[in-house]
Amino acid sequence: DKKTAGAVPFLQDLIGINMARGVDSHIVWQATHSFTIHKFNLQKKSIDRYPLYNKVNGLPRPRIYNTRAILRADKDQTIWAVDNQNIFYYDAEKDAFLHFFSIEGQVEKFGSRDIFDFGKLWITGNKGLFIIDKKSKKWEHLFPNIEIQFVHKDKVNPHIFWLGTCDRGLGIWNSQ
């Protein structure tokens, strides 16, 4: 269903909450509340749908449909998607989002707010900060009682990170 507001077309069924661009400037990725990622090819004017919970992953679809999915490209231009308990990445060869990591049974949920790439995946949320090594999949859970909205790496001191919180203001964390 196309609806227009002035000259801007809107696709009603594609209400998204997060967008990202990878290495191809003509591709825009969009995450939705329905555990589906959309890939908009601006050159071909096409839309492809990628369910995060699919037969390739072997993961059952969660019962909670209104969860927040976060989508980002990392420094290597890999597209990452995070919901409350799982991390997925886009595999171009398989043309699918594959399951990468789960915290199920270890921590209640990520409460995802955003993804950052400082050599490792940093996931902020209402349950603090999760830092996950992309190679070993080892992870740390920091500040579990603080809702963290964003992380900014200091340009002068590489061990200093600025943490933007929901209700405690701006924090400074020395990672050494």
Side-chain angles (χ1 to χ4, degrees):
D1 266 355
K2 281 192 176 182
K3 302 271 182 181
T4 58
V8 180
F10 289 92
L11 299 169
Q12 284 274 321
D13 62 334
L14 299 181
I15 297 170
I17 56 165
N18 206 300
M19 298 183 92
R21 278 204 165 160
V23 68
D24 297 321
S25 63
H26 64 279
I27 301 292
V28 177
W29 297 89
Q30 177 199 39
T32 70
H33 283 292
S34 62
F35 302 110
T36 301
I37 305 297
H38 297 98
K39 180 170 87 173
F40 297 91
N41 186 320
L42 303 176
Q43 286 179 339
K44 295 180 182 178
K45 297 185 174 146
S46 64
I47 301 171
D48 294 318
R49 288 175 170 80
Y50 297 88
L52 291 179
Y53 293 86
N54 56 49
K55 291 178 183 174
V56 176
N57 289 329
L59 294 174
R61 186 179 171 99
R63 293 182 185 161
I64 303 169
Y65 292 101
N66 200 21
T67 192
R68 184 180 173 100
I70 303 298
L71 190 65
R72 288 284 181 261
D74 68 10
K75 291 179 181 179
D76 301 323
Q77 298 303 309
T78 300
I79 301 293
W80 294 90
V82 178
D83 68 10
N84 273 334
Q85 293 189 321
N86 295 287
I87 302 173
F88 305 86
Y89 68 96
Y90 178 69
D91 183 311
E93 287 181 22
K94 294 184 179 175
D95 194 29
F97 276 86
L98 303 180
H99 187 256
F100 173 74
F101 183 82
S102 178
I103 61 165
E104 190 171 0
Q106 301 172 68
V107 177
E108 179 189 350
K109 63 182 179 176
F110 287 122
S112 307
R113 293 289 179 256
D114 216 333
I115 304 170
F116 300 89
D117 181 17
F118 300 115
K120 297 179 181 181
L121 291 178
W122 291 47
I123 301 169
T124 62
N126 61 9
K127 300 294 180 181
L129 175 65
F130 295 84
I131 302 174
I132 302 158
D133 187 291
K134 291 185 274 188
K135 291 181 182 153
S136 70
K137 295 186 182 180
K138 290 183 181 176
W139 61 286
E140 298 176 72
H141 184 197
L142 305 170
F143 317 112
N145 299 318
I146 300 173
E147 184 171 348
I148 299 175
Q149 299 285 345
F150 71 88
V151 177
H152 176 77
K153 188 174 188 175
D154 194 90
K155 292 182 180 181
V156 176
N157 185 336
H159 302 288
I160 298 293
F161 293 87
W162 297 83
L163 308 174
T165 69
C166 184
D167 59 354
R168 296 186 187 196
L170 185 63
I172 300 172
W173 175 56
N174 187 336
S175 64
Q176 285 186 317

